[in-house]
Amino acid sequence: SFDVVVCEFPQVTDAATSLATAHDAKLLLNKHNADYEMLDGYLRERGVPAVLRRRLVGNFREFEAGAIDAADATVFQSTEDRDRFDVGPDTDTFVIPNGCDYQHINRGGDRDAAARECGISGDGFVCVFLGSYDYAPNRRAAELITDDLAPALPDVDFLLLGRNPPSVNRDNVYAPGYVEELSGALHLADAALCPLTTGSGTKLKMLDYFAAELPVVSTTVGIQGLSVEPDRDVLVRDDAEGFVRAIEQLRGSPALRRRLGESGGKIAADHSWDSLMTDYDAVVEALHAE
């Protein structure tokens, strides 16, 4: 017997709706992304004909909107994602941003253990990218780093963290894959990169970077869903040449690195799971009270 059914992914929407109906339970939909936008980017990159792509994306958006209408409450991770849907009057909506393990990452972890795990000394200028490489946007970002940034900056080390890493054949690119000591690995870096060109929702890697107080160079896509101001909180560049210049700018200015890192740290502190989960508690308790 259930009082509240929580649906996390569109693939299980029908099952969650049926379960809630069968148990006369409340249905809480957690919208991590506007998934139809992710589908659109995926189909564009694969050259799917426009007429077919528009139909597929339109159908999927309609499916997502139907799930929102069926839910008793929907949590969005950003106001931008909420505004992408016409939410009916019978559905309560909440905006609770994604979070990070701020306290753990900010403490720094074991830097020496991370260096051994990553196979990198960390003595030079290091740029880090964090992602799961079975996700196509992360894989393309890694290719940009390996094929464009690393050759242009041969005296900069690039560290690719995350599961299913790509094969690399450049002396200044390290791809250790999943690491146990993430906090320490992030603190090996002098700067963090988010060269994503497609995607939706808040990028969790950005919050991890901010928690480590790393200065960040990101695309416009990378800062979606975050209340950040370009050049105050993060350097925003949308092509490889811009990333190269921004990395050189950071390498030459410890003061800029420190200013951006401190600003990011304040943002991450506001996205600590310790505080955000109380907002989720309030949503579930309200549904249960009804």
Side-chain angles (χ1 to χ4, degrees):
S1 178
F2 303 102
D3 299 303
V4 178
V5 175
V6 182
C7 179
E8 293 284 335
F9 302 104
Q11 295 92 329
V12 295
T13 297
D14 289 343
T17 303
S18 297
L19 193 63
T21 300
H23 289 265
D24 194 24
K26 296 293 183 179
L27 177 60
L28 171 59
L29 186 65
N30 201 3
K31 289 294 294 173
H32 298 284
N33 301 285
D35 290 276
Y36 75 90
E37 285 201 335
M38 299 178 70
L39 176 62
D40 187 53
Y42 179 87
L43 297 176
R44 284 177 184 272
E45 290 169 358
R46 278 149 185 79
V48 173
V51 62
L52 178 58
R53 173 177 54 79
R54 286 194 295 267
R55 179 162 185 160
L56 290 169
V57 172
N59 286 345
F60 197 70
R61 186 186 184 283
E62 185 177 341
F63 173 74
E64 287 189 89
I68 294 169
D69 289 340
D72 296 287
T74 301
V75 174
F76 295 92
Q77 265 68 60
S78 69
T79 55
E80 291 91 335
D81 278 357
R82 182 181 62 185
D83 293 344
R84 289 181 172 93
F85 297 95
D86 299 320
V87 181
D90 295 330
T91 300
D92 291 329
T93 63
F94 305 85
V95 175
I96 303 176
N98 270 312
C100 62
D101 193 357
Y102 170 73
Q103 285 81 2
H104 173 68
I105 293 176
N106 191 257
R107 282 196 297 268
D110 189 335
R111 191 176 183 276
D112 292 336
R116 290 191 298 270
E117 190 175 10
C118 295
I120 186 173
S121 68
D123 294 333
F125 193 86
V126 178
C127 292
V128 66
F129 176 72
L130 173 63
S132 298
Y133 301 98
D134 46 7
Y135 178 52
N138 284 334
R139 191 165 58 250
R140 287 189 295 274
E143 290 170 356
L144 181 142
I145 291 170
T146 302
D147 298 341
D148 297 309
L149 304 189
L153 298 164
D155 53 346
V156 172
D157 289 330
F158 294 88
L159 183 58
L160 308 181
L161 300 177
R163 70 170 183 256
N164 297 324
S167 298
V168 297
N169 56 2
R170 296 194 180 278
D171 292 340
N172 61 332
V173 180
Y174 300 81
Y178 177 85
V179 294
E180 293 288 344
E181 188 52 57
L182 175 61
S183 178
L186 289 174
H187 283 268
L188 286 171
D190 300 285
L193 308 177
C194 188
L196 296 176
T197 55
T198 59
S200 175
T202 308
K203 312 303 180 290
L204 295 178
K205 61 174 64 60
M206 291 288 289
L207 296 175
D208 289 339
Y209 295 159
F210 289 154
E213 297 190 8
L214 286 170
V216 180
V217 187
S218 173
T219 56
T220 302
V221 170
I223 63 171
Q224 286 176 349
L226 292 170
S227 297
V228 299
E229 183 177 322
D231 295 326
R232 184 195 67 184
D233 306 312
V234 58
L235 300 182
V236 178
R237 307 291 186 266
D238 283 311
D239 56 32
E241 184 179 347
F243 265 75
V244 170
R245 290 198 302 268
I247 293 169
E248 290 176 332
Q249 183 182 3
L250 288 172
R251 184 168 53 164
S253 177
L256 176 61
R257 297 201 302 271
R258 183 168 55 253
R259 178 174 64 80
L260 292 174
E262 290 173 353
S263 180
K266 294 175 183 177
I267 294 170
D270 291 335
H271 288 76
S272 168
W273 282 124
D274 287 350
S275 59
L276 294 178
M277 290 311 296
T278 60
D279 295 336
Y280 275 101
D281 289 342
V283 173
V284 174
E285 288 170 3
L287 286 173
H288 185 238
E290 291 178 10

